[in-house]
Amino acid sequence: MLKFNDSYPALYADSILSGEVGELAQLLLGVSPDGVMLIEKDSLTVKLFNETAFALLDGTCEKFIGLPFPFALLGEEPHELCVSREGRDPIYVSIRKREVAWSNQTYWFLAMRDVTARVRLRERLKSDSLLDELTGLHNRRGFVTLGEQSIRLVERDKLGLLLIFVDLDGMKDIN
């Protein structure tokens, strides 16, 4: 494994690829605010990554170069994964994967971005939409959502279900 020219942001590659990566590619990939990785398609072996990918995946060079990529690579559409980080809160990373051919070899080019704030906001909005702000109890939308989920669960497991619904008259006036 080689680390390229120290006058540019860090970019790591295995010794086979290092001679083929030019200074311009090194500069562009090294300064990218997105994490970038090149994965050999057949073996899923990590061949190259930039400093941002290194930071996002909370890794060390030894954990990546020459080893299989440690996460599932789903379809072509971006997907999110939760990355546990030693001694710190986990983060959510969006990964976009593209197939590229280079030097008679096929690779997956991965672009990664920290989407933790977006995921936490989405979770908070979902929770807020299901709960009554005053009581903290599930509102009608929460009731329907949980009810549908429970019905699917009992149908799948072939279990029985008892549903009790209580409606209090005059609560609108109190609220």
Side-chain angles (χ1 to χ4, degrees):
M1 176 189 60
L2 298 177
K3 182 176 179 185
F4 290 94
N5 186 335
D6 286 337
S7 64
Y8 295 106
L11 183 67
Y12 306 90
D14 71 5
S15 58
I16 296 169
L17 293 181
S18 63
E20 299 179 25
V21 178
E23 286 189 33
L24 179 59
Q26 179 181 343
L27 174 65
L28 295 175
L29 295 174
V31 299
S32 174
D34 289 337
V36 174
M37 286 186 122
L38 193 64
I39 312 291
E40 193 173 88
K41 184 178 177 184
D42 294 332
S43 66
L44 297 178
T45 302
V46 175
K47 293 295 190 175
L48 177 143
F49 64 95
N50 68 356
E51 193 72 30
T52 307
F54 178 82
L56 285 173
L57 299 180
D58 196 40
T60 62
C61 300
E62 293 76 27
K63 284 172 75 173
F64 295 127
I65 294 292
L67 297 174
F69 186 66
F71 301 98
L73 292 174
L74 304 176
E76 296 284 328
E77 293 301 313
H79 61 278
E80 294 168 358
L81 61 94
C82 182
V83 177
S84 298
R85 303 178 316 154
E86 193 171 318
R88 297 182 286 169
D89 288 338
I91 64 168
Y92 293 88
V93 177
S94 174
I95 294 183
R96 180 182 298 266
K97 168 180 89 167
R98 293 288 183 255
E99 185 176 304
V100 295
W102 182 44
S103 295
N104 298 320
Q105 183 70 29
T106 306
Y107 297 94
W108 290 117
F109 177 82
L110 306 182
M112 296 172 273
R113 182 172 289 172
D114 184 348
V115 293
T116 305
R118 182 174 68 190
V119 169
R120 290 192 176 137
L121 176 62
R122 184 175 61 221
E123 289 172 355
R124 193 180 103 232
L125 289 172
K126 181 178 179 183
S127 174
D128 288 352
S129 75
L130 300 177
L131 298 176
D132 177 74
E133 187 178 337
L134 179 64
T135 65
L137 300 172
H138 285 101
N139 59 22
R140 181 180 302 270
R141 182 180 295 116
F143 170 76
V144 170
T145 301
L146 289 175
E148 290 171 345
Q149 182 181 8
S150 296
I151 290 170
R152 282 193 302 272
L153 182 64
V154 298
E155 287 175 345
R156 184 192 76 194
D157 294 341
K158 303 198 185 326
L159 300 171
L161 176 68
L162 175 64
L163 175 65
I164 298 174
F165 181 82
V166 178
D167 185 20
L168 299 176
D169 290 333
M171 285 303 290
K172 278 198 189 291
D173 295 336
I174 295 171
N175 284 337

